[in-house]
Amino acid sequence: MINWINHLNPVLQALLATTFTYGVTALGAALVFCFKQVNRKILDSMLGFGAGVMIAASFWSLLAPAITLCEQRSNHAWLIPAVGFFVGGVFIILGDRLLNRCSFKDIAGFEHHNAQSLKRSILLVMAITLHNIPEGLAVGVAFGGAAKVLTGSESVGAILLAIGIGLQNFPEGATVSLPLRREGYSRGKSFFYGQLSGMVEPIAGVIGAIAAVTIEGILPFLLAFSAGAMIAVCASELIPEASKTNKNLATLGLTFGFITMMVLDVAL
């Protein structure tokens, strides 16, 4: 299976991988057709596990290769990875601040209660969509980098990265669709908005792969940017959300996720 994937064009690899992560988001959103709510412990464990995988992948699949590439080209191997990592983190922070400033209180035709409900719903979808962009970009850059200048083992890291992101996308899909259902939306609309939040990942994945393949000089920056963005997403969204009610389960999930990604990446 891995050999078959390795022989594909990196852009197609990224498209297939991010289509998988989007599909898992849609699968999570589809829980709205079966349940009004899902066991919170299960969702928190999955969020923690996915965060652990993403943190480990941020180093082994993104940041470490960026440093290696810079070592081959410059005496200042730390500079571009540091700048890229910082810019990636700031991108997520600024996106969160932008969302926090959004207001829907004055929308015509909505009473105050409905406007507040609409605001919560839109911000929820936008927040998940925002941090799905760097996730898709990270997968695309990882596959593009593996094909361009890195060793075959890096493609395994890219595959594991996609799997880890997919795992944490499942509870994210449910995190969008189930609250929308509780707000009074129909099951169909709740599912639609839940899966819509993951639709940006294939687009970002293809863009990331194309950029990594065609603009070799920017590859270290893109790798570090994706790593910084993913760490910021884990710190600002996944870990706090998973730790709200089940901190110990979230911590165990994160630990097992990190170990799993580390062992698989090093062993394979």
Side-chain angles (χ1 to χ4, degrees):
M1 181 66 176
I2 293 179
N3 288 333
W4 175 76
I5 294 176
N6 285 337
H7 285 89
L8 296 176
N9 181 282
V11 176
L12 181 56
Q13 290 175 337
L15 177 61
L16 291 175
T18 49
T19 298
F20 161 76
T21 61
Y22 157 71
V24 180
T25 303
L27 189 62
L31 290 178
V32 75
F33 293 110
C34 306
F35 310 99
K36 287 187 177 180
Q37 59 183 10
V38 180
N39 190 301
R40 186 70 197 183
K41 291 182 179 180
I42 296 175
L43 295 181
D44 289 342
S45 298
M46 293 184 68
L47 281 174
F49 185 89
V53 170
M54 289 169 63
I55 291 171
S58 294
F59 176 74
W60 274 283
S61 297
L62 297 170
L63 195 58
I67 294 172
T68 300
L69 287 172
C70 289
E71 286 175 342
Q72 296 171 357
R73 304 173 184 177
S74 170
N75 293 326
H76 302 290
W78 54 270
L79 182 58
I80 292 178
V83 172
F85 191 91
F86 175 77
V87 173
V90 170
F91 172 79
I92 297 300
I93 293 172
L94 292 179
D96 284 343
R97 288 178 64 88
L98 179 63
L99 288 178
N100 289 335
R101 291 189 177 187
C102 290
S103 176
F104 303 92
K105 292 180 181 180
D106 300 323
I107 295 179
F110 284 91
E111 296 178 359
H112 177 73
H113 171 74
N114 290 332
Q116 288 299 99
S117 174
L118 178 66
K119 178 181 178 179
R120 285 195 301 270
S121 301
I122 293 178
L123 290 181
L124 182 62
V125 175
M126 289 178 64
I128 300 296
T129 302
L130 174 70
H131 94 242
N132 280 343
I133 294 174
E135 288 176 6
L137 181 66
V139 174
V141 170
F143 277 106
K148 187 68 178 177
V149 293
L150 304 178
T151 63
S153 64
E154 297 300 334
S155 62
V156 176
I159 293 170
L160 294 175
L161 173 60
I163 293 174
I165 289 175
L167 284 174
Q168 61 88 30
N169 276 0
F170 182 83
E172 280 184 4
T175 298
V176 175
S177 64
L178 293 175
L180 291 180
R181 177 60 178 162
R182 288 196 295 269
E183 292 284 357
Y185 286 76
S186 68
R187 284 187 169 88
K189 282 189 176 180
S190 299
F191 168 75
F192 174 77
Y193 289 118
Q195 61 83 34
L196 188 65
S197 66
M199 200 170 286
V200 295
E201 289 195 2
I203 299 172
V206 169
I207 292 173
I210 292 174
V213 170
T214 58
I215 315 174
E216 182 176 330
I218 203 175
L219 181 57
F221 177 84
L222 288 177
L223 289 166
F225 175 91
S226 299
M230 285 218 302
I231 292 295
V233 166
C234 290
S236 64
E237 299 288 342
L238 300 185
I239 295 175
E241 179 64 26
S243 302
K244 277 183 181 178
T245 55
N246 297 289
K247 184 168 69 173
N248 291 335
L249 277 177
T251 303
L252 284 174
L254 187 147
T255 302
F256 282 120
F258 188 96
I259 292 172
T260 300
M261 180 65 190
M262 178 184 68
V263 170
L264 291 175
D265 193 275
V266 175
L268 297 178

